[in-house]
Amino acid sequence: MDWTLTFKSNICQDAALLDKKTRKLFAQAQERLTTVPNIDDGKLIKKLQGYKNFWRLKMNNYRLIYEVDDNDRTVRCLMMGSKNSVYKRFGVDENGPSLEVIANEDLEDILEFKPTDSERGKAIIETSFQEKELETTFPKIITDEELENLNIDNKFHSHIKACSSEEDLQLLEKNGVDISSIEKILNFYSPPSLVKVINNPSRVSLSSDDFKKIADKSKKLEDFLLELDEVQKPFVNRFAGKAPQGPWLVKGGPGSGKSTVAIYCVKELLTSLNDGLDVFPDSNLNILFTTFNLSLVGASRILLRELGFKEGNSKLTITNIDDIARNYCSSELKNKKIVTAQNSKPYLKQAILNDTSRSFGTTESEFIFDEILRCIISEDLKYLNDYLAYDRSGRGRRLGINQKKSIWAIYVEFEEILNNNRMCTYPHRHKDAVANAIPIFDYVFIDEAQDFTPVQIKLCNKLVKNGNIFLTADANQSIYGSHFSWKRAANGLDFRGKATNLKTNYRTTLEIWNAILPIIENIPDQDKDTIDFVPFRHGEIPTMMNANENESAKKISNWILETSLEEKLPYSCAAILCPTNPICEKIASTLNPKLNAKYMSSKKVDIQWPGVKVMTMHAAKGLQFPIAVVANVNHGVVPFEVHGGQSQTEKDNSTRKLLFVACTRAMNRLLLVKDPYRPSRLLSEIPIDEWEEID
């Protein structure tokens, strides 16, 4: 294959609707597209007039529209269908660009010419007259044959054929019709336009007979690999057929593909093993893939399954860091009760009262617990002098030498109290696991390493052979109070020549990015490397809604119902992210029943739930949703008002990161909900002209 073939996500469905004769022609077209895709013969292949690199391939009365990239010799198959329908989606006829394309600024870079102001003005005026209310009633009835071609289970046919509108289809989720079937039917009636097709991820063909497999419907979209970009691909290729030694680092902002790159490197290692290559001659290749967030563990398992790998069939373990620590810590620690910020208060108060210096009062127990947890236990500080020399920058509250000595004395007393009551913290388990761990893994992958404490990274490094540890991280998404710094995270790890910084955001639209970026631009510990990058896609500007606590659920419901129809997506593509679990529970219970909403705790996030997902902002870390609602961004909860000696500045900065993370979960559409009389003070930092404000 001289040229690489890639497919946009809609191609497999487009192919399913071809008749048998045309599918055969489609299968035969692969040889032409991989050898001479850019030679206009006037018959089979023709360049689309007025476009830089867009071509059509004729198949009876059907057309395949594709893009040719001469630089990397890639053919990107965009869409296909009957002559009239495919050109309508493309916004052209064979004679050149239509007014629709000229009026669309997002598509101007594909034109061979730049429209004049008068042409653009005329196009905008004329196309505005064509605008109409959202069409929700189906123009035709789908047939059993078409449903079979789309590989939709027979048991759903009667339910689907009974639907007369998109709203009817949305409600089928609750009746057991799977999400993918609903999406297929929505796209059947309203196939994605050129804008949406171009913005979709590409999948790459690896086999010489992929066209044939698509044509005879034996190959699904999931069988193709997501195409990596010019930065990601060379990095992943280092792991193809070999096992590069030493530590590795991938940095990048939200939606840059950090996790995808890590998972593809895992795939390459496992593929080498399955192919019988001796990437590790003295081992059967044992890989650990770990992260902090339980919901991200579940998402990683799903993506690896799509790539053909799952736990049990290979030497692959996917779990979170707390489970690892529990597995490797001593039985003594394993059997102790975990103490948290809430249930630690009586023990801390006792330790504070026993401190003769009286530097702190019992009302400051929450601050002291956090200090002990983050700066002493998690940093594995063993002696007072270690703590006195410890760099606390970023903690917000300054401490003098005498105050530090007092905290250390409280810590020693607190430790004794915990031991007497057979209790410990999670960091205690992490420290103990480091002491007991032995190198059993050939490779350890840490996803979202900015959420890890130094002792957690030390544990992972202790478990791996030859320093083969792989980190992905973005300091700007450090939301768990881990006091992350690259200096501490990289202690003992040399990433020189073994790191890359991903500069493209494939998740969030430019409009959403510009609207939310200012909130983290001035925090002291920001990582400029991961915010200095460009979103790949355009879309609607985000929406800011005014709603008090009593009316927010109703307003959110109406917005999701309307937006899902506009985006041609089932309700399951939407998520509502809230500051606290009680707020999640209340909103989930009062949403419109049509949405089939479900509240999910951080331990039970189900990304495959057939309805709207409701979870905390923290639980959504590492996930993405086509439609996202960030709710209750109100005074007193975003951020919480701190007491007892804690630093409000530190709390505000961590909340800025949290709000940034929550908003950047949105792929296509974002709604932020605030009380008009009690909005979060952080919203004053957001440029209101980048938002559509509604009541």
Side-chain angles (χ1 to χ4, degrees), residues 257-517:
K258 301 185 299 297
S259 300
T260 301
V261 168
I263 284 174
Y264 267 74
C265 290
V266 173
K267 171 199 166 291
E268 292 295 346
L269 291 174
L270 293 174
T271 300
S272 298
L273 177 67
N274 291 345
D275 290 345
L277 301 178
D278 292 331
V279 292
F280 288 101
D282 301 325
S283 173
N284 291 322
L285 185 58
N286 197 11
I287 298 174
L288 171 65
F289 189 97
T290 185
T291 187
F292 183 88
N293 191 318
L294 279 170
S295 57
L296 190 53
V297 170
S300 301
R301 284 183 175 135
I302 289 171
L303 184 49
L304 278 161
R305 278 202 302 269
E306 284 190 6
L307 295 175
F309 300 99
K310 60 182 180 180
E311 294 172 288
N313 291 348
S314 59
K315 288 286 190 175
L316 174 63
T317 302
I318 308 172
T319 189
N320 77 316
I321 187 64
D322 288 332
D323 283 345
I324 294 171
R326 191 177 187 280
N327 289 336
Y328 289 96
C329 71
S330 64
S331 57
E332 181 185 357
L333 268 289
K334 196 177 296 183
N335 293 324
K336 285 186 176 182
K337 183 181 177 181
I338 293 293
V339 65
T340 64
Q342 291 304 312
N343 63 15
S344 70
K345 288 182 179 179
Y347 310 108
L348 264 174
K349 286 180 179 179
Q350 184 181 338
I352 292 168
L353 292 172
N354 289 344
D355 176 34
T356 57
S357 73
R358 298 289 187 269
S359 299
F360 298 94
T362 55
T363 58
E364 298 181 284
S365 61
E366 194 170 336
F367 163 73
I368 293 174
F369 181 79
D370 190 70
E371 183 77 6
I372 290 172
L373 219 66
R374 305 294 178 192
C375 300
I376 298 178
I377 304 176
S378 293
E379 297 284 348
D380 197 20
L381 305 182
K382 294 179 173 58
Y383 305 103
L384 171 60
N385 287 338
D386 296 333
Y387 180 50
L388 294 176
Y390 176 70
D391 180 12
R392 294 180 66 260
S393 56
R395 290 288 292 166
R397 179 178 176 179
R398 296 182 179 229
L399 296 175
I401 292 177
N402 290 333
Q403 287 176 309
K404 281 190 169 184
K405 287 180 178 179
S406 181
I407 286 177
W408 186 267
I410 293 169
Y411 157 67
V412 173
E413 183 75 17
F414 181 59
E415 285 273 274
E416 186 175 346
I417 294 171
L418 290 185
N419 286 330
N420 292 338
N421 288 275
R422 294 196 54 76
M423 303 179 77
C424 70
T425 66
Y426 279 114
H428 281 112
R429 282 187 177 178
H430 300 150
K431 284 177 61 177
D432 190 67
V434 171
N436 293 301
I438 58 173
I440 63 169
F441 294 102
D442 297 294
Y443 252 94
V444 171
F445 288 79
I446 303 176
D447 197 19
E448 305 283 1
Q450 75 276 352
D451 298 329
F452 282 50
T453 62
V455 73
Q456 290 171 332
I457 293 177
K458 188 182 293 185
L459 170 58
C460 292
N461 209 13
K462 189 78 176 291
L463 287 169
V464 71
K465 304 172 185 176
N466 303 316
N468 294 331
I469 192 166
F470 188 116
L471 281 69
T472 77
D474 177 11
N476 297 322
Q477 296 187 69
S478 177
I479 62 174
Y480 292 104
S482 62
H483 192 202
F484 178 84
S485 79
W486 282 110
K487 182 179 179 181
R488 282 191 286 273
N491 187 31
L493 302 175
D494 186 3
F495 295 115
R496 288 176 297 180
K498 298 180 178 181
T500 190
N501 186 28
L502 305 180
K503 290 287 189 178
T504 304
N505 179 349
Y506 292 99
R507 177 196 299 146
T508 305
T509 64
L510 179 65
E511 288 72 20
I512 293 173
W513 182 254
N514 288 340
I516 194 62
L517 181 61

Side-chain angles (χ1 to χ4, degrees), residues 203-220:
R203 303 220 173 216
V204 63
S205 167
L206 297 179
S207 169
S208 60
D209 61 350
D210 280 337
F211 265 34
K212 182 178 183 300
K213 290 179 179 179
I214 294 175
D216 64 18
K217 298 182 288 184
S218 65
K219 194 164 186 136
K220 300 177 181 178

Side-chain angles (χ1 to χ4, degrees), residues 13 17 138-152 156-164 169 172 181-190:
Q13 176 160 316
L17 297 172
F138 296 150
K140 58 172 285 190
I141 297 175
I142 195 166
T143 66
D144 282 319
E145 183 181 1
E146 288 166 331
L147 289 168
E148 288 173 5
N149 285 338
L150 291 170
N151 286 322
I152 292 177
F156 299 143
H157 286 198
S158 59
H159 295 292
I160 293 170
K161 290 169 69 177
C163 296
S164 60
L169 273 175
L172 290 179
S181 295
I182 295 173
E183 288 187 85
K184 285 178 181 178
I185 305 304
L186 287 168
N187 284 316
F188 170 83
Y189 285 111
S190 299

